[in-house]
Each structure stands twice: as C-alpha cells, then as structure tokens.
Amino acid sequence: DLCDAFQIIQSSSLRSATSLTEQDRCVLWLAAIIMQACAAATVIPLYQLLRLQARRITSWQLAAFWPLVPAVTMFSPKSDICFPFLGCLVLALWLQGLRKNSRLLCLAAGCVFWLGMTLSLALLPVACLAGMLTIWDLWLCRPEDRTTLAVARLLRGLAAGGTGLLVLTPVMAIGTG
C-alpha cells in the first residue's frame, strides 16, 4: 500500500538528520502515480503483442488480465513497475517492425530498449526473447518467407543487435566503474 510506504519513509526520515518535507512527499506521490500509470499502460503493448497472433476480442480479454498479476501490486511503490511496460513495448515495436518491414519501428524498439537498459539490466532477457521470436516468426512459422529475404532480415536484425551490444557494453562498463 502506498500509504504504508510513505509512513515507512516518514519514520526513517525522522531517525535521520533530514526530515521529509511536504514538497518531498508530493514528489513521492507524483512518482508513485507515474509508476502506476506506466503499469496500467502495459495493457496497450501487451494487446499489440497478442493481436499479432490472435483475434481482437481474444487479445483484449487476455490483456485485461494484466492488472491482476500480483507483481504489479507487490512492486507498487518502486520504479521496477515500469519495466514490464518497456519490455512489452520493445517486443511489440520489434515484431511489428519485422512484420511490416519497417526500419522506423525497429529503430523505435531499439531506442526503447536502450532507454530501459540505461535504467536497469532487467530488460536484457527481452533482447533474448526478441531474438527467439524473430527466428520463430521469420523461419519457423511462415513458410512463404523461408527465402533469402528471411535470411537478409535475420542478418539485419542480428547486426543491429550486435551493434547495440557493442555500443552498450562500453557504456555499461564505464557507468559501473
């Protein structure tokens, strides 16, 4: 509960040299509201992901279960609650970009992934999942695309991912000291 979290912060600030001001309390409430909005917004990219494989009504019914996931309320006062939104958004943009052969959507997926990786390494498994879904979508599921075009798309995707890792690795190494 958010009120309990604020009470814990208030009591710990009383033990320290600095106290929690009303302005600090307002900033904490704003951050909590933004994180809750981000958690609620996860339904949108989740619907987009489901829509790639299912009918519209089925996708909405499945995406509607997202707010019932216990982790959403368990991590509620923390910023970790925004990572499912970022992960679903990366996957939705990436897969739609592959299906529509849109470099802009793939670039947007890479930018969102980069943003998420600057916040936490928790999004690293999303890159592995995107790679597996790329192979599944291009080679295993659509026989009409099992041509050299599929190989070219896959190689472009792997090159983009490799370039991203080459860029992120030094940045993370410098950032972690």
Side-chain angles (χ1 to χ4, degrees):
D1 186 52
L2 289 176
C3 292
D4 292 339
F6 287 124
Q7 293 301 329
I8 292 170
I9 293 171
Q10 180 72 34
S11 66
S12 66
S13 70
L14 291 175
R15 286 183 254 139
S16 68
T18 59
S19 64
L20 190 67
T21 65
E22 188 63 30
Q23 185 178 11
D24 295 335
R25 193 174 178 87
C26 291
V27 168
L28 286 173
W29 270 106
L30 178 64
I33 289 170
I34 290 171
M35 290 302 123
Q36 288 294 328
C38 193
T42 303
V43 172
I44 298 166
L46 187 58
Y47 166 76
Q48 293 295 324
L49 277 172
L50 292 167
R51 187 71 180 103
L52 293 173
Q53 297 295 329
R55 294 177 309 160
R56 178 177 291 159
I57 189 72
T58 307
S59 299
W60 272 122
Q61 287 172 345
L62 291 172
F65 281 110
W66 167 249
L68 301 176
V69 173
V72 174
T73 56
M74 193 164 47
F75 294 118
S76 189
K78 293 184 176 182
S79 64
D80 294 347
I81 203 166
C82 71
F83 295 130
F85 172 73
L86 293 174
C88 286
L89 185 61
V90 165
L91 288 175
L93 289 171
W94 179 256
L95 290 176
Q96 285 180 355
L98 283 177
R99 291 219 173 153
K100 295 178 180 178
N101 205 13
S102 169
R103 290 183 179 152
L104 185 62
L105 286 174
C106 291
L107 178 67
C111 289
V112 172
F113 180 71
W114 176 79
L115 173 70
M117 287 295 289
T118 59
L119 297 174
S120 172
L121 292 177
L123 284 182
L124 197 54
V126 173
C128 296
L129 184 58
M132 288 187 290
L133 288 174
T134 300
I135 292 170
W136 176 264
D137 200 41
L138 293 181
W139 277 2
L140 302 176
C141 281
R142 297 181 356 197
E144 68 273 7
D145 283 344
R146 291 183 190 162
T147 63
T148 57
L149 178 63
V151 175
R153 279 191 197 163
L154 181 63
L155 289 176
R156 275 189 285 170
L158 291 174
T163 304
L165 284 176
L166 288 174
V167 170
L168 283 177
T169 303
V171 170
M172 289 188 299
I174 291 170
T176 58

